[in-house]
Amino acid sequence: MPLINVVIVLIVVGVLLWLVNNYLPMDGKIKSILNAVVVICVVLWLLQAFGVLGSLSTIRVGK
């Protein structure tokens, strides 16, 4: 994956998260949970994009 695509995705995710945090009225706890989930997903995606983490398609939850 080209580096420019990674940068564009990070900018878009950051702007969307900023918009949600500033313009959607939510309880502070819900916002912090949402922020944590987004950060975890982005970190996992970055690890997979740079090849540190193997393919996420092999991870199975449940049976």
Side-chain angles (χ1 to χ4, degrees), residues 24-63:
L24 288 181
M26 281 188 272
D27 186 38
K29 292 179 183 179
I30 296 174
K31 281 186 182 182
S32 63
I33 292 171
L34 176 67
N35 289 339
V37 168
V38 170
V39 167
I40 290 170
C41 289
V42 168
V43 167
L44 288 175
W45 176 76
L46 283 172
L47 289 173
Q48 181 187 12
F50 286 113
V52 176
L53 189 66
S55 177
L56 290 178
S57 64
T58 61
I59 297 175
R60 299 184 71 125
V61 177
K63 294 183 178 184

Side-chain angles (χ1 to χ4, degrees), residues 2 5 7 13 19 21 24 34 36 49:
N5 288 354
V7 172
V13 168
L19 288 172
N21 283 329
L24 288 181
L34 176 67

Side-chain angles (χ1 to χ4, degrees), residues 9-32:
V9 169
L10 289 176
I11 290 171
V12 169
V13 168
V15 168
L16 289 175
L17 193 58
W18 176 77
L19 288 172
V20 167
N21 283 329
N22 284 326
Y23 295 112
L24 288 181
M26 281 188 272
D27 186 38
K29 292 179 183 179
I30 296 174
K31 281 186 182 182
S32 63

